[in-house]
Amino acid sequence: MKNNKKQGRCPFSPLTLLAALLLIGGMLAIILPVLKWDAEVSAEAGEYEQLREQNRQAEARETVEEETQNQHAAPPVSLAEEGLPVQQSESAVGEQAMVDLSAYLAQNPDFVAWLRIPGTNVDYPVVQTDNPDYYLNHTFSGKQSVVGTLFSLADADYAAPGRNIAIYGHHLRSSGEKMFTSLMRYKNPDFYEDNKTVVLDSLYRHSEYTIFAVVNMKVGDWEPSRTVFSGDAAFMAFVNRAKSESLYDTGVEVGADDHILTLITCDRSYAGKEGRLVILAVER
């Protein structure tokens, strides 16, 4: 009987194989640059993890020192037992000790503060500069990088403090959340409810803020980094505009005597290159 089956023949035609190879090549051409970018961003952002560890160690030392001071300031047992009034030192009553930030100032003379948002990846040093273009593509140590550094403009008043302190940072499209990428989460009101506190330790003071507005805007719509106001009315007009344009109502009140913190990053999902996401918080 004659066997009609042809042995060893490839089930795919040359054209099919060529098409498959071209498809795989095209996918690799797209994926490999993305993977390379992601690896570079992760490596360059590693500098900030070292700075975070340095900050954690400094905070741990300050906590131990504060606890030791509080123990020394404790009243004699006999006085406490007898119910007599006891005068405590200021450090014993609960003033939060400032973390020593001088080490960062020694590393970079532009350093002004450390910004942290519990519940997010935001945990970075902040510089103050009259050359923002430099810090858009240089890390805290001065290494050229797309990661950049969080920065405030020269007119931000950290010492007084001013009515509005604005901080800029990158929104990086990469795996993980680096720099100000975590701020995108605040477009979801459910995330806001559990993560509304912002902590700022500057060279001058420790401050905690509560987020009161989350705003999408385009460059030129208004100036969220404004620091100078002609008076209370102008300041409240600024605050009320932010609240009216917020993606949702937070219910947080802001008064004419308050101080606010404004965080600004890109948001291409809103208006392409002109899109911005602005997070505004009031000091508590």
Side-chain angles (χ1 to χ4, degrees), residues 203-220:
L203 293 172
Y204 308 95
R205 63 208 297 266
H206 170 87
S207 301
E208 295 190 10
Y209 297 79
T210 300
I211 295 172
F212 70 86
V214 178
V215 179
N216 262 138
M217 59 167 284
K218 291 190 295 184
V219 173

Side-chain angles (χ1 to χ4, degrees), residues 3-247:
N3 188 353
N4 292 325
K5 292 184 178 179
K6 296 182 180 180
Q7 302 295 328
R9 188 169 181 179
C10 178
F12 302 106
S13 69
L15 287 176
T16 303
L17 287 174
L18 179 60
L21 290 173
L22 289 174
L23 177 62
I24 293 171
M27 292 175 64
L28 289 175
I30 295 173
I31 294 173
L32 289 179
V34 173
L35 294 176
K36 182 181 178 182
W37 161 271
D38 193 66
E40 289 176 354
V41 168
S42 297
E44 292 165 0
E47 171 185 319
Y48 290 108
E49 182 53 43
Q50 297 175 5
L51 291 172
R52 284 195 195 103
E53 181 57 32
Q54 182 179 335
N55 193 42
R56 284 192 286 265
Q57 292 176 4
E59 287 180 338
R61 286 194 300 270
E62 291 291 340
T63 299
V64 171
E65 291 175 3
E66 185 180 7
E67 289 176 350
T68 302
Q69 290 174 358
N70 289 345
Q71 289 173 0
H72 291 164
V77 176
S78 58
L79 292 179
E81 287 178 346
E82 293 175 10
L84 297 177
V86 179
Q87 182 176 0
Q88 291 182 308
S89 67
E90 184 177 342
S91 61
V93 242
E95 279 285 330
Q96 180 155 357
M98 285 181 57
V99 177
D100 184 4
L101 302 173
S102 59
Y104 304 109
L105 189 61
Q107 294 174 60
N108 185 331
D110 290 336
F111 172 79
V112 70
W114 191 281
L115 178 70
R116 182 167 57 89
I117 307 180
T120 77
N121 193 58
V122 176
D123 191 9
Y124 294 104
V126 181
V127 297
Q128 186 168 19
T129 180
D130 57 4
N131 184 16
D133 289 342
Y134 175 82
Y135 283 109
L136 285 173
N137 53 33
H138 286 80
T139 65
F140 186 75
S141 67
K143 178 181 177 182
Q144 188 165 354
S145 168
V146 294
V147 171
T149 306
L150 303 188
F151 66 87
S152 286
L153 299 177
D155 60 353
D157 186 355
Y158 280 83
R163 272 181 149 162
N164 183 24
I165 294 175
I167 300 175
Y168 292 84
H170 280 310
H171 169 201
L172 297 170
R173 292 174 292 179
S174 64
S175 63
E177 295 183 352
K178 301 171 182 68
M179 310 315 288
F180 269 176
T181 304
S182 294
L183 297 187
M184 295 299 120
R185 291 177 176 265
Y186 285 101
K187 296 175 81 168
N188 181 345
D190 292 334
F191 181 81
Y192 162 82
E193 287 299 329
D194 296 325
N195 305 278
K196 58 181 71 173
T197 300
V198 181
V199 181
L200 185 70
D201 283 298
S202 76
L203 293 172
Y204 308 95
R205 63 208 297 266
H206 170 87
S207 301
E208 295 190 10
Y209 297 79
T210 300
I211 295 172
F212 70 86
V214 178
V215 179
N216 262 138
M217 59 167 284
K218 291 190 295 184
V219 173
D221 284 350
W222 58 298
E223 186 46 69
S225 66
R226 180 179 175 184
T227 59
V228 178
F229 302 89
S230 59
D232 291 349
F235 176 68
M236 289 308 301
F238 176 89
V239 168
N240 290 333
R241 175 166 186 173
K243 295 182 72 173
S244 68
E245 297 189 11
S246 180
L247 299 180

